[in-house]
Amino acid sequence: MVRLRMEGSPHGLQEILLKPGLNRLGRVADNDFQISDDSVSSHHCQIELKDGVITVQDLNSTNGTFLDGQPIQQAVLHPGQVLCLGTVPMVCQDDPVTEPADIPAGPSSGAGAGVTPSAANPAGIPVAVNTGVCAQHPQAAAKWCCVKCGGAFCTACVKTTRVGGQFFRACPRCGGSCMSVAEYTRLMTPAPTNFFALWREAFSYPLKKDGAILLVCGTIVFSLLDGGRWVLSYFKFAGFMGLAYWLCLIMSVGYLFAFMQNIVQASSQGEEKMPDWPEISGFWDDLAIPFFRFGVIWFLCLGPGIAVMLLVSPLAGVPLLFLGLFCLPMAILTVCLADGIAGLNPIIIFSGIGKVPLPYLTTCGIFLMVIAIMHGSRMLLELTGIPMLPTVISAFISLYGITVEMRLLGLLYFTNKSKLAWFE
């Protein structure tokens, strides 16, 4: 019996016994297994147990699904590996699997020359010696690779069945699940770990998959909130209407910063998919605290420069203001990763900048460009005189620019974890 063990779990559930077929895990009660933790989404992931293969698929969760510390969308789970839902870790346990006797222990000439069972990639999938030709028909091109034994086979060798509306392709040797050679090759190819090999991808990141839809939905919501703040701004210090103005401000800024933090955290783990908009379960935790963090970042980075400009002299305040702007992106990164204002440690911020100067300068340059485009586009749109057009278009441009910048900050940490060494 395959089980997921949660040692010392504070959530009541200590062990999950997986049943054959689909097992859905999440925070709400209609899942097969309910995990009552705020970091777990309502419907977080599903685990399929079929033909001895354990497949985990993330269900667009907010805080992600991780296998041995690496973010996944879909992967094969092996006994001994640690599956993490949000911040809830679980160890996969099972009885030792005895391979069928007819499976070769290593590569040999002829039919068995397709796999080295002892070698595996970081996802736990055995490494095929040759994915170009079929292990049983050397004259035929390989189309499928087994995730259990690593054999490479042609279409004629793989048995295909349709189960639950999905195709399952069984390995002719061990009966394990097979994936396409293209998918196998993608999993076996190490991801680039150089910031300058990835930074251009940040500009297409907001438009990948469901990203464009998320931006459009966000544009609608923030345009309405912006319009509401504009109306309420005339009464910001007048009783109930004034309270409504400040609540509207906290909601818009707090929710935006929560979204920014999700992007930074997902990108810092190497996740390629843009996260969904954050779930709101409470005003204080999900809106007020992010608003407070955002305000503290801006106050500590820009406040000293502004204060010196107003109280001492503009000449002395301008350099201090530029220094604050220079440190602002790194301050956002440290707060997002630390998940608190404890990340606003000057030693961490300045040492981090010193450890990755060129990537950080690139990020700062793009940050300034994004701010200039955001404000410049709004000024130009306001010249048209068309009602609501500046608000809607500039909201979309702003969300796009913010998403790009948060992606860059996440990639900055992802590609320089060993240098920064913040959480070791």
Side-chain angles (χ1 to χ4, degrees), residues 116-190:
T116 305
S118 61
N121 70 348
I125 300 174
V127 179
V129 173
N130 186 0
T131 58
V133 297
C134 175
Q136 299 187 152
H137 303 98
Q139 73 281 5
K143 299 293 184 181
W144 306 96
C145 285
C146 178
V147 300
K148 186 176 181 182
C149 72
F153 305 99
C154 62
T155 302
C157 292
V158 175
K159 181 181 179 181
T160 303
T161 56
R162 190 176 180 87
V163 180
Q166 296 182 341
F167 288 105
F168 176 78
R169 295 174 174 84
C171 173
R173 284 180 179 170
C174 65
S177 175
C178 291
M179 66 172 62
S180 69
V181 170
E183 178 66 10
Y184 173 88
T185 303
R186 186 187 68 80
L187 289 175
M188 295 295 289
T189 303

Side-chain angles (χ1 to χ4, degrees), residues 1-57:
M1 179 68 72
V2 179
R3 60 188 185 274
L4 301 175
R5 183 73 181 174
M6 293 184 283
E7 297 292 343
S9 170
H11 311 296
L13 188 65
Q14 296 291 330
E15 188 175 80
I16 294 176
L17 297 178
L18 298 177
K19 65 181 187 296
L22 285 178
N23 301 261
R24 292 183 175 85
L25 285 68
R27 196 176 67 248
V28 298
D30 63 355
N31 292 281
D32 296 306
F33 299 98
Q34 183 180 10
I35 302 176
S36 301
D37 188 275
D38 291 340
S39 69
V40 177
S41 294
S42 300
H43 301 90
H44 198 102
C45 72
Q46 66 180 27
I47 302 177
E48 184 176 18
L49 188 59
K50 185 174 183 179
D51 296 324
V53 180
I54 313 168
T55 305
V56 184
Q57 181 178 351

Side-chain angles (χ1 to χ4, degrees), residues 111-343:
V115 62
T116 305
S118 61
N121 70 348
I125 300 174
V127 179
V129 173
N130 186 0
T131 58
V133 297
C134 175
Q136 299 187 152
H137 303 98
Q139 73 281 5
K143 299 293 184 181
W144 306 96
C145 285
C146 178
V147 300
K148 186 176 181 182
C149 72
F153 305 99
C154 62
T155 302
C157 292
V158 175
K159 181 181 179 181
T160 303
T161 56
R162 190 176 180 87
V163 180
Q166 296 182 341
F167 288 105
F168 176 78
R169 295 174 174 84
C171 173
R173 284 180 179 170
C174 65
S177 175
C178 291
M179 66 172 62
S180 69
V181 170
E183 178 66 10
Y184 173 88
T185 303
R186 186 187 68 80
L187 289 175
M188 295 295 289
T189 303
T193 56
N194 184 283
F195 177 80
F196 293 102
L198 295 175
W199 73 275
R200 293 180 182 85
E201 173 269 342
F203 292 93
S204 60
Y205 172 77
L207 305 177
K208 288 181 178 179
K209 297 182 179 179
D210 298 332
I213 297 176
L214 291 172
L215 288 185
V216 170
C217 294
T219 298
I220 296 172
V221 171
F222 284 104
S223 295
L224 293 174
L225 288 172
D226 193 35
R229 288 204 316 272
W230 180 79
V231 172
L232 294 170
S233 63
Y234 294 97
F235 311 98
K236 63 177 67 174
F237 299 111
F240 177 78
M241 297 295 286
L243 177 63
Y245 169 80
W246 292 108
L247 287 176
C248 188
L249 180 65
I250 292 172
M251 288 173 59
S252 58
V253 175
Y255 193 62
L256 178 61
F257 187 73
F259 180 58
M260 292 164 59
Q261 181 169 346
N262 281 357
I263 296 174
V264 171
Q265 292 178 345
S267 299
S268 69
Q269 296 294 330
E271 180 63 62
E272 295 182 359
K273 181 180 178 295
M274 182 171 161
D276 293 335
W277 286 98
E279 297 179 357
I280 300 178
S281 57
F283 176 82
W284 179 256
D285 290 336
D286 299 324
L287 296 174
I289 290 179
F291 172 82
F292 172 73
R293 291 174 181 172
F294 186 76
V296 171
I297 291 172
W298 280 89
F299 176 77
L300 293 182
C301 288
L302 305 183
I306 295 174
V308 171
M309 288 178 63
L310 296 177
L311 301 176
V312 182
S313 73
L315 191 61
V318 168
L320 196 57
L321 184 62
F322 275 103
L323 178 63
L325 282 172
F326 178 69
C327 296
L328 183 62
M330 184 62 77
I332 293 175
L333 175 62
T334 56
V335 169
C336 287
L337 294 182
D339 197 25
I341 58 173

